[in-house]
């Protein structure tokens, strides 16, 4: 192999690596978005659970008087 073929191989490898990095950036951006959306849903569920506690305590409290 001559010097030109090595340079061409290196340039080709760099092009492929850069394309791979761009694809990974898109992928990881989507993953982060999905994690953020999941965190928002989890927070909403957590608030709903906290909202059930007073109902449970109120039911227990009222059942002692009935």
């Amino acid at each position: 192999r001559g010097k030109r073929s090595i340079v061409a191989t290196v340039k080709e490898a760099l092009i492929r690596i850069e394309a791979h990095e761009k694809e990974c950036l898109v992928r990881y951006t989507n993953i982060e978005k999905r994690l953020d959306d999941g965190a928002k849903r989890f927070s909403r569920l957590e608030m709903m659970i906290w909202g059930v506690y007073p109902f449970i305590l109120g039911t227990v409290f009222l059942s002692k008087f009935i």
Side-chain angles (χ1 to χ4, degrees):
R1 289 187 160 189
K3 186 176 181 180
R4 288 185 185 214
S5 66
I6 292 174
V7 171
T9 304
V10 170
K11 285 182 180 178
E12 194 176 295
L14 285 174
I15 289 170
R16 290 180 67 196
I17 290 170
E18 288 172 354
H20 175 76
E21 287 177 344
K22 287 179 184 177
E23 183 67 30
C24 285
L25 179 63
V26 170
R27 232 179 246 158
Y28 287 119
T29 301
N30 287 334
I31 289 171
E32 282 185 39
K33 183 183 178 303
R34 289 174 60 196
L35 287 172
D36 289 342
D37 291 345
K40 289 175 187 173
R41 262 187 266 141
F42 187 78
S43 293
R44 190 170 44 236
L45 287 171
E46 185 180 17
M47 295 307 293
M48 290 170 67
I49 290 170
W50 279 108
V52 170
Y53 285 137
F55 176 75
I56 293 170
L57 292 174
T59 304
V60 170
F61 182 73
L62 287 174
S63 69
K64 291 188 180 198
F65 288 108
I66 293 179

